[in-house]
Amino acid sequence: MFKMIFNIAKTELQMLFYSPVAWFILVAFGIQAGLQFAGQLQNTVSSQEMGYIPYGCTQRLFSVYWGGVFVIMQKYLYYYIPLLTMGLVSKDLSSGAIRLLYSSPITNFQIIVGKFFSMMIYAFVMIGVLFLLVLCSWGFVKDFDFPLVLTGLLGLYLLICAYAAIGIFMSSLTSYQIVAAIGTLAVLMILNMIGGWWQEYDFVRDVTYWLAISGRCGKFVNGLICSEDLLYFIIVICLFLALTIIRLNAVRQKIRFSITVGKNLGVIFLCCFLGYLSSLPPMKVYCDVTETKQNTLTLNSQEIVAKLDGGVTITTYINVLEPGGSWFAAYNFLKPDMERFDQYLRFKPDMKLKYVYYYDETPNPDLDRRFPGKTLREKMCEVCKVYGLDSNRFMSPEEIRAKIDLSGEKNTFVRQIVRENGEKAWLRIYNDMQRFPTEREISAAFKRMVMKLPVVGMVEGHGERSCEGGKDRDYSLFASEKTFRNALMNQGFDVERVSLGRGIPENINIIVISDMREWLTPEEELNLQQYIERGGNLFILGEPKRREVMNPLFAKFGFEMTDGVLVKRDSNLQADVILSYPTKEAVDSISYEFERMYTRKFVLSTPSVAGLEQVADKGYKVIPMFKTDTTGVWNELETTDFVDGVVRLNPSIGEVEKHYSTVVALSKSVGDKVQKIVLTGDADCISNGEFGRRLAGKQASNYTLITGVFCWLSNGEVPIDIRRPDLPDDKVYVNRTGYEVVKWSFVAILPMLLAFGGIFIWIRRKGR
């Protein structure tokens, strides 16, 4: 049997390579791949020459980036395959050669498998063209990630084989090769589009989404082998080969139409059932071949998920009347949204995802403008009519309120995580470009449910910055704004108001004291001192104009704010807007959060800031976290109008130009723990207004002060550390000249060699 299959495959390959079509496809395929590879290499070389470090060169060239060779080529493969497969069976049907095959002791199984085996070999040749690009990259990319690209090649090879199986089936349906090619293209287009069809029906949605071939090798290209995708290709190949064999048997043996239909339906249902089983989370097996395991949860997240014993349900509540609600409620949103939790389902396959659709009052001025005077239900029906949604899907305000109170979330898109033991946590979307929570926010929500996380106390009662107000100088954005990604509540902290007059509760781990307008009463000072003596952590933010009130508090830790306001002559900024830079000590001793700021030279914008100087040794280890420029900054004592006034350095009155610390960290052992304190000379640096500051030529990253400081004060509990090592393939040993050589080698020389090879074989065959 195997010999017959081999002979048929050999014959088909000879006929294939004796024809110009096979060589034309190889040439076109090679030129397209070469152009794409050259474009990505040019971008990488240009970035490196401009001084940027091109981390992940292997990925840049082949995978995750939009222009990666593998990513682009998989989108065009289905244009090539119909030209190859259109004559595999149809030419035998049209020429009558099929009758000769039927008269020989060869089964239809051997015929079809032999022809498919020839296509597998041709697919291997096509992958060989891409492998030449891989070998070339291996020669000039530092620490080239071979496992990543080999996995990508495997995915592309399986995709070509699946397309070939479909092409063979379509070729068996007609004796006209053009019709077979068009039919194959039509089927491939349907399989690429079917994932978005009939999404409104739960069962049908799962089937059509599984049937979709679009993006099936995406995980392979990104370095992840998933059993579901691997089995998908195997099942699809077997399905269409089986359908082809059934078709030829029906013609050869004159089998009744009803029996043939029954066999076809049986094969289809069997394959769908196997596909359904392979898509179940408990049945999936994964292998992440990437250098940094970028397709897998970090170890910290894995440890958190491992503690989530019992059932976990994530329910997504979607209000069709909120801004963007029609998009969230669209049927095509559901399956891609579920994929956001794939990495978590890998480690907790029993986790359930549910979706609840409703309509209720929510902040959406545009809705009132578009549908004035209409009731809530009428607005909902109008929205459904415009966007093609079924209005019967949405629960009424009374129905949803009977299930859950979402008024605290303003009836906007939100997810509630519920454990089997009744513990709950929230996941939200945020007002940034990324919108949806990343691994950091999701893991922080899970961590709330498995351990006690730090509680931050915001001290009030002395004119401190409000943790709820919406003014520019308030702190509501990082303290209580649910739509701000870096808000404490979204990173795993709880925030409470604290009155020093009533003492600081034992559950408070960190307190924030900011910009006090008046000094403490004796009772409040005693309660604060007791908190300090028990080793409590503090984040204290001063302000130059509150120096008289804040300096006595700083003095408890051996520091004071310098006289005046720090200024610098800068044509782009007001003189009292000072840019502070993170120190190496902040990266090494405080938090990894500052590493990105330090390496990319991001700044902390500190308007109206005072320098911090140590005046006494209170036993604390002192770590300067942020400092000003080494030159051009001094403590201005004369000018107070920084809008119209002109600042001048006057050393005679005590103005000193030097390197000032604007944020310092203190630590010392208190009992069995380490007390940690952060002092700043500016209270505006983490205010609402400062997060929106735009700088010319500089990148402000004030939110990093929040994540970095609170990470240190919480002993690294939260925010969740989801760092991965830098990718080692961060350099290409190619300059502009080398790039030109590589480009023309693959865009011109290789296609010409392929073309000459085809011409040589054609001439030789003609001579025979």
Side-chain angles (χ1 to χ4, degrees):
M1 180 179 72
F2 295 108
K3 184 177 180 180
M4 296 301 299
I5 292 174
F6 174 78
N7 289 335
I8 292 174
K10 181 180 177 181
T11 302
E12 289 294 334
L13 281 173
Q14 287 176 339
M15 295 177 65
L16 192 62
F17 282 104
Y18 285 156
S19 71
V21 174
W23 293 99
F24 172 77
I25 289 174
L26 283 179
V27 170
F29 183 77
I31 292 175
Q32 186 180 19
L35 286 171
Q36 199 60 46
F37 179 73
Q40 285 302 100
L41 180 58
Q42 182 183 27
N43 294 337
T44 305
V45 171
S46 299
S47 297
Q48 185 169 280
E49 290 182 346
M50 287 189 291
Y52 298 105
I53 300 176
Y55 291 108
C57 290
T58 310
Q59 296 180 12
R60 285 172 176 261
L61 294 173
F62 293 102
S63 58
V64 296
Y65 290 82
W66 285 108
V69 177
F70 293 169
V71 175
I72 298 300
M73 294 309 295
Q74 69 171 321
K75 297 179 180 179
Y76 292 97
L77 281 175
Y78 70 86
Y79 291 117
Y80 296 105
I81 305 305
L83 297 176
L84 291 168
T85 60
M86 63 182 183
L88 281 177
V89 180
S90 61
K91 70 176 185 296
D92 294 334
L93 294 175
S94 61
S95 66
I98 193 70
R99 296 189 184 91
L100 295 177
L101 291 174
Y102 286 166
S103 64
S104 63
I106 303 176
T107 65
N108 286 330
F109 174 83
Q110 293 170 333
I111 295 172
I112 298 307
V113 172
K115 290 177 179 292
F116 177 72
F117 190 61
S118 70
M119 289 306 304
M120 290 179 66
I121 296 174
Y122 187 87
F124 192 76
V125 175
M126 294 181 70
I127 294 300
V129 174
L130 297 178
F131 188 68
L132 292 176
L133 300 176
V134 172
L135 286 179
C136 179
S137 303
W138 179 46
F140 62 72
V141 173
K142 172 179 172 286
D143 294 322
F144 187 72
D145 193 351
F146 240 121
L148 171 66
V149 293
L150 291 179
T151 302
L153 289 174
L154 172 63
L156 292 174
Y157 180 73
L158 291 172
L159 183 63
I160 296 174
C161 291
Y163 285 171
I166 296 170
I168 290 174
F169 171 68
M170 297 305 299
S171 181
S172 71
L173 298 179
T174 177
S175 59
Y176 298 99
Q177 296 186 30
I178 297 300
V179 174
I182 295 174
T184 301
L185 185 62
V187 172
L188 294 181
M189 290 180 63
I190 290 172
L191 287 178
N192 275 277
M193 296 164 51
I194 196 172
W197 295 356
W198 304 304
Q199 296 294 289
E200 60 268 35
Y201 307 109
D202 292 342
F203 176 74
V204 177
R205 176 178 60 241
D206 292 336
V207 173
T208 57
Y209 198 76
W210 180 84
L211 283 174
I213 203 169
S214 175
R216 272 293 174 176
C217 69
K219 289 189 177 73
F220 287 94
V221 169
N222 289 329
L224 179 66
I225 301 176
C226 176
S227 61
E228 179 189 11
D229 296 321
L230 187 63
L231 290 173
Y232 171 84
F233 287 117
I234 295 174
I235 291 171
V236 167
I237 290 171
C238 293
L239 168 63
F240 282 96
L241 292 182
L243 292 177
T244 307
I245 294 170
I246 292 171
R247 157 70 180 165
L248 293 184
N249 283 339
V251 174
R252 185 175 187 176
Q253 301 172 11
K254 308 297 182 182
I255 299 175
R256 284 188 301 174
F257 178 75
S258 59
I259 296 177
T260 302
V261 170
K263 288 181 178 180
N264 286 330
L265 291 177
V267 169
I268 292 172
F269 284 130
L270 175 61
C271 289
C272 289
F273 176 70
L274 294 176
Y276 172 75
L277 289 181
S278 69
S279 67
L280 295 176
M283 303 295 290
K284 294 181 183 180
V285 179
Y286 300 84
C287 178
D288 189 350
V289 304
T290 56
E291 183 73 22
T292 59
K293 304 301 178 187
Q294 63 186 30
N295 300 302
T296 307
L297 291 178
T298 57
L299 292 177
N300 285 339
S301 294
Q302 290 182 39
E303 291 173 1
I304 293 169
V305 175
K307 296 176 182 177
L308 281 170
D309 54 334
V312 174
T313 302
I314 301 178
T315 305
T316 302
Y317 294 93
I318 298 174
N319 184 357
V320 72
L321 297 183
E322 69 170 299
S326 57
W327 176 53
F328 300 139
Y331 305 114
N332 292 339
F333 172 80
L334 189 61
K335 294 299 286 188
D337 186 65
M338 289 180 171
E339 290 180 352
R340 302 180 200 279
F341 297 93
D342 273 357
Q343 290 188 354
Y344 289 88
L345 285 166
R346 174 177 171 182
F347 294 95
K348 190 166 181 59
D350 62 337
M351 186 165 61
K352 298 178 181 179
L353 303 176
K354 294 183 178 180
Y355 290 79
V356 174
Y357 302 90
Y358 71 101
Y359 67 95
D360 203 347
E361 292 282 359
T362 188
N364 190 355
D366 185 59
L367 205 62
D368 297 327
R369 179 186 60 81
R370 292 169 60 193
F371 309 116
K374 292 186 178 292
T375 64
L376 274 180
R377 176 163 181 79
E378 288 171 340
K379 291 178 181 178
M380 182 270 293
C381 292
E382 290 291 340
V383 170
C384 290
K385 187 186 303 182
V386 170
Y387 294 101
L389 304 174
D390 182 5
S391 60
N392 295 319
R393 295 170 66 208
F394 301 97
M395 300 172 64
S396 67
E398 294 75 23
E399 291 173 320
I400 189 65
R401 291 170 191 172
K403 290 174 63 71
I404 187 172
D405 182 10
L406 297 173
S407 58
E409 302 294 327
K410 299 181 181 179
N411 292 323
T412 57
F413 183 102
V414 70
R415 308 184 203 266
Q416 188 181 55
I417 308 173
V418 181
R419 286 184 72 187
E420 203 172 62
N421 60 9
E423 291 180 342
K424 300 176 181 179
W426 296 98
L427 273 178
R428 305 173 177 90
I429 58 173
Y430 309 110
N431 56 0
D432 53 31
M433 293 183 65
Q434 196 169 6
R435 301 216 69 185
F436 291 95
T438 63
E439 180 184 338
R440 169 178 275 193
E441 290 78 43
I442 297 172
S443 294
F446 283 136
K447 195 167 186 177
R448 282 181 176 276
M449 311 175 81
V450 297
M451 67 177 294
K452 184 179 180 181
L453 293 181
V455 180
V456 177
M458 306 290 293
V459 174
E460 59 180 19
H462 316 89
E464 293 90 349
R465 302 296 177 95
S466 171
C467 63
E468 293 183 352
K471 298 179 180 178
D472 282 355
R473 69 187 305 275
D474 292 332
Y475 285 175
S476 59
L477 201 57
F478 88 87
S480 60
E481 178 54 57
K482 296 176 179 178
T483 61
F484 183 48
R485 183 180 301 276
N486 293 291
L488 295 179
M489 65 173 59
N490 293 324
Q491 296 300 322
F493 295 92
D494 286 321
V495 180
E496 295 182 4
R497 296 179 175 182
V498 171
S499 173
L500 293 178
R502 295 193 293 269
I504 301 174
E506 289 294 330
N507 70 312
I508 299 292
N509 310 93
I510 305 163
I511 64 170
V512 178
I513 304 176
S514 61
D515 192 16
M516 292 195 304
R517 294 171 180 262
E518 56 187 39
W519 186 240
L520 310 174
T521 65
E523 181 183 4
E524 291 173 334
E525 188 173 2
L526 176 62
N527 289 333
L528 176 60
Q529 189 62 36
Q530 289 176 348
Y531 175 79
I532 295 172
E533 290 174 355
R534 83 186 194 206
N537 297 336
L538 297 96
F539 188 13
I540 303 174
L541 301 103
E543 189 71 20
K545 59 186 176 183
R546 313 283 186 226
R547 185 176 289 102
E548 291 75 15
V549 178
M550 296 300 296
N551 264 349
L553 181 57
F554 283 131
K556 292 179 179 290
F557 311 104
F559 274 79
E560 70 174 14
M561 290 188 289
T562 57
D563 292 335
V565 177
L566 298 186
V567 296
K568 181 179 181 179
R569 295 192 189 96
D570 192 318
S571 59
N572 295 315
L573 293 171
Q574 191 170 294
D576 65 333
V577 178
I578 299 299
L579 305 182
S580 299
Y581 297 82
T583 65
K584 188 66 168 62
E585 295 92 329
V587 177
D588 296 337
S589 304
I590 303 301
S591 174
Y592 64 88
E593 293 281 348
F594 298 114
E595 184 174 4
R596 183 168 176 266
M597 283 191 74
Y598 181 79
T599 56
R600 301 194 180 185
K601 301 187 184 305
F602 290 171
V603 298
L604 179 74
S605 61
T606 49
S608 185
V609 60
L612 298 175
E613 291 188 349
Q614 188 173 12
V615 295
D617 186 356
K618 298 291 185 177
Y620 290 95
K621 177 184 176 182
V622 179
I623 304 171
M625 290 177 57
F626 284 84
K627 289 187 175 183
T628 61
D629 284 338
T630 53
T631 58
V633 177
W634 70 87
N635 58 321
E636 178 64 35
L637 300 175
E638 293 180 304
T639 303
T640 57
D641 182 2
F642 298 106
V643 177
D644 299 317
V646 178
V647 295
R648 295 183 179 86
L649 177 62
N650 186 358
S652 64
I653 63 172
E655 294 179 354
V656 181
E657 181 181 359
K658 67 175 185 178
H659 206 35
Y660 286 92
S661 294
T662 55
V663 184
V664 297
L666 314 174
S667 64
K668 74 174 181 181
S669 297
V670 178
D672 59 350
K673 62 181 178 180
V674 177
Q675 184 181 49
K676 300 177 179 180
I677 298 165
V678 176
L679 309 176
T680 75
D682 171 45
D684 291 316
C685 59
I686 58 172
S687 65
N688 297 344
E690 211 54 33
F691 288 124
R693 182 180 291 276
R694 296 291 183 266
L695 302 173
K698 295 287 184 180
Q699 174 67 54
S701 186
N702 284 35
Y703 71 86
T704 305
L705 180 64
I706 296 171
T707 55
V709 163
F710 283 98
C711 178
W712 186 60
L713 295 177
S714 68
N715 299 316
E717 291 291 344
V718 279
I720 307 297
D721 183 1
I722 59 169
R723 289 177 299 163
R724 302 176 190 273
D726 290 333
L727 292 169
D729 50 337
D730 56 2
K731 187 176 182 179
V732 291
Y733 302 108
V734 176
N735 54 21
R736 287 280 173 178
T737 304
Y739 153 72
E740 292 292 337
V741 172
V742 172
K743 173 184 176 181
W744 292 111
S745 296
F746 288 102
V747 174
I749 297 177
L750 178 62
M752 287 175 60
L753 291 175
L754 290 172
F756 287 149
I759 293 172
F760 174 77
I761 292 176
W762 180 76
I763 293 175
R764 187 176 179 184
R765 180 170 179 261
K766 280 288 186 180
R768 289 180 177 179

